[in-house]
Coordinates of all heavy atoms in Angstrom, one line a residue:
T1 N 3.8 -4.5 10.6 CA 2.4 -4.6 10.3 C 2.2 -3.6 9.1 O 2.4 -2.4 9.2 CB 1.5 -4.2 11.5 OG1 1.8 -5.1 12.6 CG2 0.0 -4.2 11.2
S2 N 1.6 -4.0 8.1 CA 1.4 -3.3 6.8 C 0.4 -2.2 6.8 O 0.4 -1.3 6.1 CB 1.2 -4.3 5.6 OG 2.2 -5.2 5.6
G3 N -0.6 -2.4 7.7 CA -1.7 -1.4 7.8 C -1.2 0.0 8.0 O -1.9 1.0 7.5
R4 N 0.0 0.2 8.7 CA 0.4 1.6 8.8 C 0.8 2.3 7.6 O 1.0 3.5 7.4 CB 1.6 1.6 9.8 CG 1.1 1.2 11.2 CD 2.2 1.6 12.3 NE 3.5 1.0 11.9 CZ 4.0 -0.1 12.5 NH1 3.2 -0.9 13.3 NH2 5.2 -0.5 12.2
M5 N 1.0 1.5 6.5 CA 1.3 2.1 5.1 C 0.1 2.2 4.2 O 0.3 2.7 3.1 CB 2.5 1.2 4.4 CG 3.8 1.5 4.9 SD 4.3 1.4 6.6 CE 4.2 -0.4 7.1
D6 N -1.1 1.8 4.7 CA -2.2 1.8 3.9 C -2.7 3.2 3.4 O -3.2 3.3 2.3 CB -3.4 1.1 4.7 CG -3.4 -0.3 4.6 OD1 -2.4 -1.0 4.0 OD2 -4.3 -1.0 5.2
A7 N -2.4 4.2 4.1 CA -2.7 5.5 3.7 C -1.8 6.0 2.4 O -2.1 6.9 1.7 CB -2.6 6.6 4.8
Y8 N -0.6 5.3 2.3 CA 0.3 5.9 1.4 C 0.5 4.9 0.2 O 0.9 5.3 -0.9 CB 1.7 5.9 2.0 CG 1.7 6.7 3.3 CD1 1.9 6.2 4.5 CD2 1.5 8.1 3.3 CE1 1.8 6.9 5.7 CE2 1.4 8.9 4.4 CZ 1.5 8.2 5.7 OH 1.5 9.0 6.8
S9 N 0.3 3.5 0.4 CA 0.5 2.6 -0.7 C -0.2 2.8 -2.0 O 0.4 2.7 -3.0 CB 0.2 1.2 -0.2 OG 1.2 0.8 0.8
P10 N -1.6 3.2 -1.9 CA -2.2 3.4 -3.2 C -1.6 4.5 -4.0 O -1.6 4.3 -5.3 CB -3.6 3.8 -2.8 CG -3.8 3.2 -1.4 CD -2.5 3.3 -0.8
I11 N -1.1 5.5 -3.4 CA -0.5 6.7 -4.2 C 0.8 6.1 -4.8 O 1.1 6.4 -6.0 CB -0.2 7.8 -3.2 CG1 -1.4 8.4 -2.7 CG2 0.6 8.9 -3.9 CD1 -1.3 9.3 -1.4
L12 N 1.6 5.3 -4.1 CA 2.9 4.9 -4.6 C 2.6 3.9 -5.7 O 3.4 3.8 -6.8 CB 3.7 4.2 -3.5 CG 4.2 5.3 -2.5 CD1 5.0 4.6 -1.4 CD2 4.9 6.4 -3.0
I13 N 1.6 3.0 -5.6 CA 1.2 2.1 -6.8 C 0.8 2.9 -8.0 O 1.3 2.6 -9.1 CB 0.1 1.2 -6.2 CG1 0.7 0.2 -5.1 CG2 -0.4 0.3 -7.5 CD1 -0.4 -0.5 -4.4
E14 N -0.1 3.9 -7.8 CA -0.6 4.5 -9.0 C 0.3 5.6 -9.5 O 0.6 5.6 -10.8 CB -1.9 5.3 -8.5 CG -2.5 6.1 -9.7 CD -3.7 6.9 -9.3 OE1 -4.3 6.7 -8.2 OE2 -4.2 7.6 -10.2
K15 N 1.1 6.4 -8.7 CA 1.8 7.5 -9.3 C 3.3 7.0 -9.6 O 3.9 7.6 -10.5 CB 1.9 8.6 -8.3 CG 0.6 9.2 -7.9 CD 0.1 10.1 -8.9 CE -1.3 10.7 -8.4 NZ -2.1 11.2 -9.5
C16 N 3.7 6.0 -8.9 CA 5.2 5.6 -9.1 C 5.3 4.2 -9.8 O 6.4 3.8 -10.2 CB 5.9 5.5 -7.8 SG 5.8 7.1 -6.9
G17 N 4.3 3.4 -9.9 CA 4.4 2.1 -10.5 C 4.9 1.1 -9.6 O 5.5 0.0 -10.1
L18 N 4.8 1.2 -8.3 CA 5.2 0.2 -7.3 C 4.4 -1.1 -7.6 O 3.2 -1.0 -7.7 CB 4.9 0.7 -5.9 CG 5.3 -0.3 -4.7 CD1 6.8 -0.4 -4.6 CD2 4.7 0.3 -3.4
T19 N 5.1 -2.2 -7.7 CA 4.4 -3.4 -8.0 C 4.4 -4.5 -6.9 O 3.7 -5.5 -7.1 CB 5.0 -4.1 -9.2 OG1 6.5 -4.1 -9.1 CG2 4.7 -3.2 -10.5
G20 N 5.2 -4.3 -5.9 CA 5.2 -5.3 -4.8 C 5.5 -4.7 -3.4 O 6.2 -3.7 -3.3
M21 N 4.8 -5.3 -2.5 CA 5.0 -4.9 -1.1 C 5.1 -6.2 -0.3 O 4.5 -7.1 -0.6 CB 3.8 -4.0 -0.6 CG 3.5 -2.8 -1.4 SD 1.8 -2.2 -1.3 CE 1.0 -3.4 -2.4
I22 N 6.0 -6.0 0.8 CA 6.2 -7.3 1.7 C 5.9 -6.7 3.1 O 6.5 -5.7 3.6 CB 7.6 -7.8 1.6 CG1 8.1 -8.1 0.2 CG2 7.8 -8.9 2.6 CD1 9.5 -8.4 0.0
G23 N 5.1 -7.5 3.8 CA 4.8 -7.2 5.2 C 4.1 -8.3 5.9 O 4.2 -9.5 5.5
K24 N 3.3 -8.0 6.9 CA 2.5 -8.9 7.6 C 1.2 -8.2 7.9 O 1.1 -7.0 8.0 CB 3.1 -9.4 8.9 CG 3.3 -8.4 10.0 CD 3.9 -9.1 11.3 CE 4.0 -8.0 12.3 NZ 4.6 -8.6 13.5
G25 N 0.1 -9.1 7.9 CA -1.2 -8.6 8.1 C -2.0 -8.1 6.9 O -1.4 -8.0 5.8
G26 N -3.3 -7.9 7.0 CA -4.1 -7.6 5.9 C -3.9 -6.2 5.4 O -3.1 -5.3 6.1
R27 N -4.5 -5.8 4.3 CA -4.4 -4.5 3.6 C -5.9 -4.0 3.5 O -6.8 -4.7 3.4 CB -3.8 -4.5 2.3 CG -2.4 -5.2 2.3 CD -1.4 -4.6 3.3 NE -1.1 -3.2 3.2 CZ -0.2 -2.5 2.4 NH1 0.4 -3.4 1.5 NH2 -0.1 -1.3 2.3
S28 N -6.0 -2.6 3.4 CA -7.2 -1.9 3.3 C -7.8 -2.1 1.9 O -7.1 -2.5 0.9 CB -7.1 -0.4 3.5 OG -6.3 0.2 2.4
A29 N -9.1 -1.8 1.8 CA -9.8 -2.0 0.5 C -9.1 -1.0 -0.5 O -9.0 -1.4 -1.7 CB -11.3 -1.8 0.7
A30 N -8.8 0.1 -0.1 CA -8.1 1.1 -1.0 C -6.8 0.6 -1.6 O -6.5 0.8 -2.8 CB -7.9 2.5 -0.4
V31 N -6.0 -0.1 -0.8 CA -4.8 -0.7 -1.2 C -5.1 -1.8 -2.3 O -4.5 -2.0 -3.4 CB -3.9 -1.2 0.0 CG1 -2.7 -2.0 -0.6 CG2 -3.4 -0.1 0.8
V32 N -6.0 -2.7 -1.9 CA -6.3 -3.8 -2.8 C -6.9 -3.3 -4.1 O -6.6 -3.9 -5.1 CB -7.3 -4.8 -2.1 CG1 -7.8 -5.9 -3.1 CG2 -6.6 -5.5 -0.8
D33 N -7.7 -2.3 -4.0 CA -8.3 -1.7 -5.3 C -7.1 -1.1 -6.1 O -7.1 -1.5 -7.4 CB -9.3 -0.6 -4.9 CG -9.8 0.1 -6.3 OD1 -10.5 -0.7 -7.0 OD2 -9.6 1.2 -6.5

């Protein structure tokens, strides 16, 4: 379940240039933003 990574994903996307994630279930508004 991807929701457990929602607190961390926005930082990795912005600071590290992460472009893809694979999991199951929805994501938070902060991740989508």
Side-chain angles (χ1 to χ4, degrees):
T1 302
S2 302
R4 292 195 306 265
M5 277 54 73
D6 282 0
Y8 311 109
S9 293
I11 296 163
L12 298 179
I13 293 167
E14 178 179 356
K15 303 285 185 199
C16 300
L18 180 70
T19 51
M21 298 158 287
I22 303 169
K24 68 178 181 180
R27 305 305 304 273
S28 71
V31 173
V32 174
D33 180 60

